[in-house]
């Protein structure tokens, strides 16, 4: 692997629905010299902590569109996540297209299950569909696939451990692989919730 593969973590992409402990995470990452990139409500939350944050559309040079359905689905994001730092041809392509690497991806998904099981308000079909996350799972899966080079964090309970490892420069393969496993578990559970809801509500289920 090249020297680039072992470089310090420089950029983190943060896009979360569950903002529990996001203030502490953002501050620790900033204090560790990590640039924060973020979207929508997460960016506003980080700004409210008086921390510098780069909106994702400044990275993509493309505006958020389609009522937020398209924000991070862009080569400037996914190229930065998926590039293998130890492969000179990948590094050369990033340089050719002026794409910077993304070293940490902190994402958790729209609260689909909470929305469709809300006892106080049954969502309409359209409301439930709008809570099906697209960009979030794409970033999580990309980061988890490239876990040799990217830390993927889907659970606020892992924030302290991740920050400790970054600060002490002790991120190892065990941590990377465990977080990747957790990321795919997060996506699998999410997709199962969507699939079950569709089965129950689209007229496919057998009557009791």
């Amino acid at each position: 692997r090249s020297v680039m593969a072992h470089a310090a973590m420089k950029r983190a992409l943060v896009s979360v629905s569950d903002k529990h402990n996001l203030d502490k995470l953002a501050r620790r990452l900033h204090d560790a010299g990590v640039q924060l990139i973020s979207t929508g409500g997460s960016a506003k939350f980080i700004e409210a902590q008086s921390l510098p944050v780069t909106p994702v559309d400044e990275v993509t040079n493309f505006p958020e569109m389609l009522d937020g359905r398209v924000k991070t689905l862009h080569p400037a994001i996914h190229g930065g996540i998926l590039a293998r730092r130890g492969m000179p041809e990948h590094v050369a392509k990033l340089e050719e297209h002026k794409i910077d690497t993304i070293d940490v991806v902190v994402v958790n998904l729209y609260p689909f299950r909470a929305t469709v099981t809300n006892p106080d308000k049954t969502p309409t079909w359209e409301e439930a569909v709008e809570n099906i996350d697209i960009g979030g799972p794409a970033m999580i899966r990309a980061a988890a696939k490239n876990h040799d080079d990217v830390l993927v964090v889907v659970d606020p309970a892992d924030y302290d451990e991740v920050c400790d490892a970054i600060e002490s420069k002790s991120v190892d393969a065990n941590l990377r692989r465990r977080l990747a496993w957790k990321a795919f578990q997060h996506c699998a559970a999410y997709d199962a919730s969507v699939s079950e809801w569709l089965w129950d509500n689209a007229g496919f289920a057998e009557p009791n």
Side-chain angles (χ1 to χ4, degrees), residues 81-82 139-150 152 180 184:
I81 295 171
L82 282 164
M139 288 187 289
I140 291 171
R141 291 176 62 86
K145 176 173 181 172
N146 202 26
H147 60 267
D148 278 350
D149 293 306
V150 182
V152 56
F184 280 115

Side-chain angles (χ1 to χ4, degrees), residues 61 68 70 85 106 121 136 140 153 162 166 192:
N61 290 312
V70 178
R85 279 57 156 175
V106 183
K121 183 180 184 297
I140 291 171
V153 189
V162 168
I166 292 172

Side-chain angles (χ1 to χ4, degrees), residues 176-194:
R176 290 179 178 280
R177 292 171 183 176
R178 181 158 45 85
L179 290 174
W181 163 77
K182 201 166 190 176
F184 280 115
Q185 285 285 98
H186 186 59
C187 287
Y190 188 86
D191 286 344
S193 294
V194 175

Side-chain angles (χ1 to χ4, degrees), residues 107-127:
V107 176
N108 54 60
L109 305 176
Y110 296 164
F112 183 83
R113 181 175 288 278
T115 297
V116 298
T117 59
N118 185 347
D120 299 320
K121 183 180 184 297
T122 300
T124 65
W125 180 272
E126 290 75 17
E127 287 170 340

